[in-house]
Amino acid sequence: MSSNERRMQAGIEAVRKGGAHALGLFKRRDELVIEKKGRQDLVSRADRETETIIRDHISALFPEDGFLGEEHGAAGSTDRMWIIDPIDGTANYLAGIDYWGVLLAYVENGRPTLSFTYDACRDELWTAEAGKGAFRNGKPIRCADTSRADEALLALSFNFKLDPPVYTNMLEAAIRKGIDHRRLGSSALKLAYVADGRFDATVSMLTNSWDVVPGLLLVKEAGGCIVDFTADGHPYDQPRPAAACAPGIRSVIEEVTGLTLDG
């Protein structure tokens, strides 16, 4: 078994293990103490414990690998690094809304290589390996074949660190093109839904790597177009805009966002 095959198996085990823990606490969320990291930025022990479970599982199998996690930060190697968002959609999670995901990516020599997105509430696991396609629960998936803006469905994210007109101007431009939109609260699941043909595009005008790097690889492997998060040497530990879409609406998404997509 190759190193990537072993890491793929480890990643699947880790997100399922972490997801099971998070789901158990989700069902008892009235016991959680909620803390604020910033404006509309919440956290609880569920986030921290889930990230620790994932890190510990990976570390036991690959002690030489490093990590970049939303809750516990960076540690170890950056040549072979796992990026973790233990609960993407924490506000939904703590409000009892079952739209959140467990997110993990393996990055080797600066390039995303493996991707894992787990919806524990629905037991849907999306995986991808660079150059080998995208899958949901082991079955191949592809982006939608949508080619008209007035038939497209766009999923959005908003970050309170962003100047509001950057978001509202982009939204107005999309609406004027006839694009419908949703804002559901988990970048991880929105990217998975684009890869799976449920949404046609998703955009965040300011986001962190742990929110989107796994899903961007997933969309790319499903035949979609994506922003390269590390283009121009941008580091993984700094936020930037991100977008992904079905290939047939690439030009209109680039137009309304001002972003450049690859695919």
Side-chain angles (χ1 to χ4, degrees):
M1 184 181 293
S2 70
S3 61
N4 273 356
E5 288 173 331
R6 292 189 294 114
R7 284 185 172 87
M8 174 62 79
Q9 185 60 41
I12 290 171
E13 294 168 352
V15 294
R16 284 195 174 278
K17 189 175 181 180
H21 181 77
L23 182 60
L25 292 176
F26 179 69
K27 295 175 179 178
R28 310 191 313 275
R29 60 192 172 279
D30 57 316
E31 302 173 9
L32 299 175
V33 175
I34 303 172
E35 304 169 36
K36 289 190 70 173
K37 295 191 290 183
R39 189 178 184 187
Q40 293 288 354
D41 191 3
L42 306 175
V43 68
S44 76
R45 70 180 178 90
D47 301 81
R48 298 189 180 104
E49 290 177 5
T50 300
E51 184 169 320
T52 297
I53 287 169
I54 293 170
R55 281 190 182 224
D56 288 350
H57 187 87
I58 298 295
S59 291
L61 298 170
F62 302 98
E64 72 280 9
D65 290 0
F67 295 93
L68 176 62
E70 179 175 12
E71 306 306 333
H72 297 311
S77 172
T78 57
D79 294 332
R80 295 183 302 275
M81 178 177 68
W82 297 82
I83 298 178
I84 309 170
D85 190 342
I87 299 175
D88 183 77
T90 296
N92 282 352
Y93 181 95
L94 294 174
I97 300 168
D98 63 349
Y99 190 82
W100 51 271
V102 179
L103 203 53
L104 180 66
Y106 173 64
V107 175
E108 188 167 326
N109 297 321
R111 303 308 300 172
T113 303
L114 303 174
S115 166
F116 311 85
T117 301
Y118 185 45
D119 179 350
C121 294
R122 297 166 185 80
D123 193 28
E124 290 188 311
L125 173 63
W126 290 271
T127 60
E129 180 177 353
K132 295 191 176 180
F135 303 84
R136 174 183 23 89
N137 292 346
K139 296 181 179 179
I141 58 172
R142 297 291 292 177
C143 292
D145 59 5
T146 305
S147 60
R148 293 173 52 101
D150 60 3
E151 295 177 351
L153 184 57
L154 169 65
L156 298 172
S157 296
F158 178 72
N159 186 320
F160 272 87
K161 296 177 182 178
L162 185 71
D163 188 23
V166 175
Y167 177 84
T168 57
N169 290 344
M170 177 270 297
L171 176 56
E172 181 180 355
I175 291 172
R176 290 190 181 279
K177 292 289 186 182
I179 300 173
D180 199 358
H181 64 281
R182 303 286 186 273
R183 181 167 177 256
L184 301 179
S186 169
S187 296
L189 294 188
K190 283 178 280 191
L191 282 159
Y193 282 20
V194 172
D196 216 346
R198 302 177 188 180
F199 290 141
D200 300 298
T202 184
V203 174
S204 177
M205 298 307 289
L206 186 67
T207 190
N208 293 298
S209 63
W210 45 79
D211 296 316
V212 297
V213 167
L216 290 173
L217 176 59
L218 183 69
V219 172
K220 181 179 180 180
E221 289 300 314
C225 303
I226 65 167
V227 163
D228 180 353
F229 194 88
T230 58
D232 305 317
H234 189 85
Y236 281 111
D237 61 356
Q238 297 296 321
R240 76 177 308 170
C245 69
I249 58 167
R250 172 181 176 175
S251 61
V252 71
I253 296 301
E254 289 183 326
E255 183 178 347
V256 301
T257 63
L259 302 175
T260 299
L261 280 66
D262 299 328

PDB file of all heavy atoms in Angstrom, residues 152-165:
ATOM      1  N   ALA A 152     -28.567  28.910 -12.478  1.00  0.00           N
ATOM      2  CA  ALA A 152     -27.542  28.530 -11.504  1.00  0.00           C
ATOM      3  C   ALA A 152     -27.967  28.855 -10.078  1.00  0.00           C
ATOM      4  O   ALA A 152     -28.683  29.828  -9.816  1.00  0.00           O
ATOM      5  CB  ALA A 152     -26.236  29.247 -11.825  1.00  0.00           C
ATOM      6  N   LEU A 153     -27.475  28.039  -9.141  1.00  0.00           N
ATOM      7  CA  LEU A 153     -27.713  28.225  -7.718  1.00  0.00           C
ATOM      8  C   LEU A 153     -26.370  28.417  -7.020  1.00  0.00           C
ATOM      9  O   LEU A 153     -25.502  27.549  -7.075  1.00  0.00           O
ATOM     10  CB  LEU A 153     -28.446  27.006  -7.142  1.00  0.00           C
ATOM     11  CG  LEU A 153     -28.860  27.072  -5.669  1.00  0.00           C
ATOM     12  CD1 LEU A 153     -29.746  28.274  -5.407  1.00  0.00           C
ATOM     13  CD2 LEU A 153     -29.580  25.779  -5.282  1.00  0.00           C
ATOM     14  N   LEU A 154     -26.204  29.569  -6.386  1.00  0.00           N
ATOM     15  CA  LEU A 154     -24.947  29.977  -5.761  1.00  0.00           C
ATOM     16  C   LEU A 154     -25.078  29.921  -4.248  1.00  0.00           C
ATOM     17  O   LEU A 154     -26.021  30.481  -3.669  1.00  0.00           O
ATOM     18  CB  LEU A 154     -24.612  31.411  -6.209  1.00  0.00           C
ATOM     19  CG  LEU A 154     -23.487  32.150  -5.496  1.00  0.00           C
ATOM     20  CD1 LEU A 154     -22.151  31.479  -5.740  1.00  0.00           C
ATOM     21  CD2 LEU A 154     -23.454  33.609  -5.949  1.00  0.00           C
ATOM     22  N   ALA A 155     -24.126  29.255  -3.596  1.00  0.00           N
ATOM     23  CA  ALA A 155     -24.080  29.202  -2.134  1.00  0.00           C
ATOM     24  C   ALA A 155     -23.023  30.183  -1.630  1.00  0.00           C
ATOM     25  O   ALA A 155     -21.907  30.204  -2.134  1.00  0.00           O
ATOM     26  CB  ALA A 155     -23.749  27.785  -1.674  1.00  0.00           C
ATOM     27  N   LEU A 156     -23.387  30.986  -0.631  1.00  0.00           N
ATOM     28  CA  LEU A 156     -22.529  32.076  -0.183  1.00  0.00           C
ATOM     29  C   LEU A 156     -22.103  31.913   1.274  1.00  0.00           C
ATOM     30  O   LEU A 156     -22.768  31.254   2.071  1.00  0.00           O
ATOM     31  CB  LEU A 156     -23.262  33.415  -0.333  1.00  0.00           C
ATOM     32  CG  LEU A 156     -23.646  33.808  -1.759  1.00  0.00           C
ATOM     33  CD1 LEU A 156     -24.523  35.050  -1.740  1.00  0.00           C
ATOM     34  CD2 LEU A 156     -22.401  34.043  -2.597  1.00  0.00           C
ATOM     35  N   SER A 157     -20.972  32.548   1.595  1.00  0.00           N
ATOM     36  CA  SER A 157     -20.502  32.662   2.968  1.00  0.00           C
ATOM     37  C   SER A 157     -20.172  34.123   3.239  1.00  0.00           C
ATOM     38  O   SER A 157     -19.729  34.844   2.344  1.00  0.00           O
ATOM     39  CB  SER A 157     -19.246  31.813   3.199  1.00  0.00           C
ATOM     40  OG  SER A 157     -19.516  30.441   3.036  1.00  0.00           O
ATOM     41  N   PHE A 158     -20.367  34.547   4.491  1.00  0.00           N
ATOM     42  CA  PHE A 158     -20.010  35.911   4.883  1.00  0.00           C
ATOM     43  C   PHE A 158     -19.139  35.859   6.131  1.00  0.00           C
ATOM     44  O   PHE A 158     -19.402  35.112   7.065  1.00  0.00           O
ATOM     45  CB  PHE A 158     -21.248  36.758   5.154  1.00  0.00           C
ATOM     46  CG  PHE A 158     -20.919  38.158   5.615  1.00  0.00           C
ATOM     47  CD1 PHE A 158     -20.399  39.080   4.725  1.00  0.00           C
ATOM     48  CD2 PHE A 158     -21.083  38.522   6.936  1.00  0.00           C
ATOM     49  CE1 PHE A 158     -20.067  40.364   5.141  1.00  0.00           C
ATOM     50  CE2 PHE A 158     -20.756  39.803   7.362  1.00  0.00           C
ATOM     51  CZ  PHE A 158     -20.247  40.730   6.465  1.00  0.00           C
ATOM     52  N   ASN A 159     -18.100  36.687   6.145  1.00  0.00           N
ATOM     53  CA  ASN A 159     -17.170  36.781   7.256  1.00  0.00           C
ATOM     54  C   ASN A 159     -17.243  38.198   7.812  1.00  0.00           C
ATOM     55  O   ASN A 159     -17.123  39.170   7.056  1.00  0.00           O
ATOM     56  CB  ASN A 159     -15.757  36.461   6.749  1.00  0.00           C
ATOM     57  CG  ASN A 159     -14.731  36.381   7.855  1.00  0.00           C
ATOM     58  OD1 ASN A 159     -14.745  37.178   8.787  1.00  0.00           O
ATOM     59  ND2 ASN A 159     -13.822  35.414   7.751  1.00  0.00           N
ATOM     60  N   PHE A 160     -17.438  38.346   9.123  1.00  0.00           N
ATOM     61  CA  PHE A 160     -17.583  39.664   9.716  1.00  0.00           C
ATOM     62  C   PHE A 160     -16.288  40.470   9.726  1.00  0.00           C
ATOM     63  O   PHE A 160     -16.295  41.646  10.094  1.00  0.00           O
ATOM     64  CB  PHE A 160     -18.171  39.555  11.126  1.00  0.00           C
ATOM     65  CG  PHE A 160     -19.675  39.563  11.133  1.00  0.00           C
ATOM     66  CD1 PHE A 160     -20.384  38.391  10.985  1.00  0.00           C
ATOM     67  CD2 PHE A 160     -20.376  40.752  11.252  1.00  0.00           C
ATOM     68  CE1 PHE A 160     -21.771  38.400  10.975  1.00  0.00           C
ATOM     69  CE2 PHE A 160     -21.759  40.772  11.236  1.00  0.00           C
ATOM     70  CZ  PHE A 160     -22.464  39.599  11.102  1.00  0.00           C
ATOM     71  N   LYS A 161     -15.179  39.875   9.317  1.00  0.00           N
ATOM     72  CA  LYS A 161     -13.944  40.628   9.142  1.00  0.00           C
ATOM     73  C   LYS A 161     -13.897  41.312   7.773  1.00  0.00           C
ATOM     74  O   LYS A 161     -12.977  42.076   7.482  1.00  0.00           O
ATOM     75  CB  LYS A 161     -12.735  39.697   9.301  1.00  0.00           C
ATOM     76  CG  LYS A 161     -12.616  39.092  10.695  1.00  0.00           C
ATOM     77  CD  LYS A 161     -11.458  38.112  10.786  1.00  0.00           C
ATOM     78  CE  LYS A 161     -11.399  37.486  12.177  1.00  0.00           C
ATOM     79  NZ  LYS A 161     -10.309  36.480  12.289  1.00  0.00           N
ATOM     80  N   LEU A 162     -14.890  41.032   6.965  1.00  0.00           N
ATOM     81  CA  LEU A 162     -14.962  41.557   5.607  1.00  0.00           C
ATOM     82  C   LEU A 162     -15.740  42.877   5.596  1.00  0.00           C
ATOM     83  O   LEU A 162     -16.733  43.032   6.309  1.00  0.00           O
ATOM     84  CB  LEU A 162     -15.675  40.536   4.719  1.00  0.00           C
ATOM     85  CG  LEU A 162     -15.776  40.813   3.225  1.00  0.00           C
ATOM     86  CD1 LEU A 162     -14.415  40.655   2.568  1.00  0.00           C
ATOM     87  CD2 LEU A 162     -16.780  39.839   2.597  1.00  0.00           C
ATOM     88  N   ASP A 163     -15.291  43.836   4.779  1.00  0.00           N
ATOM     89  CA  ASP A 163     -16.043  45.063   4.575  1.00  0.00           C
ATOM     90  C   ASP A 163     -17.362  44.707   3.875  1.00  0.00           C
ATOM     91  O   ASP A 163     -17.349  44.143   2.780  1.00  0.00           O
ATOM     92  CB  ASP A 163     -15.220  46.024   3.717  1.00  0.00           C
ATOM     93  CG  ASP A 163     -15.843  47.404   3.627  1.00  0.00           C
ATOM     94  OD1 ASP A 163     -16.632  47.766   4.523  1.00  0.00           O
ATOM     95  OD2 ASP A 163     -15.538  48.114   2.658  1.00  0.00           O
ATOM     96  N   PRO A 164     -18.524  44.990   4.476  1.00  0.00           N
ATOM     97  CA  PRO A 164     -19.799  44.504   3.932  1.00  0.00           C
ATOM     98  C   PRO A 164     -20.044  44.782   2.459  1.00  0.00           C
ATOM     99  O   PRO A 164     -20.596  43.906   1.763  1.00  0.00           O
ATOM    100  CB  PRO A 164     -20.837  45.190   4.832  1.00  0.00           C
ATOM    101  CG  PRO A 164     -20.142  45.348   6.135  1.00  0.00           C
ATOM    102  CD  PRO A 164     -18.710  45.662   5.785  1.00  0.00           C
ATOM    103  N   PRO A 165     -19.668  45.953   1.904  1.00  0.00           N
ATOM    104  CA  PRO A 165     -19.937  46.169   0.480  1.00  0.00           C
ATOM    105  C   PRO A 165     -19.249  45.168  -0.450  1.00  0.00           C
ATOM    106  O   PRO A 165     -19.746  44.924  -1.561  1.00  0.00           O
ATOM    107  CB  PRO A 165     -19.416  47.598   0.231  1.00  0.00           C
ATOM    108  CG  PRO A 165     -19.530  48.266   1.557  1.00  0.00           C
ATOM    109  CD  PRO A 165     -19.203  47.198   2.553  1.00  0.00           C
TER     110      PRO A 165
END
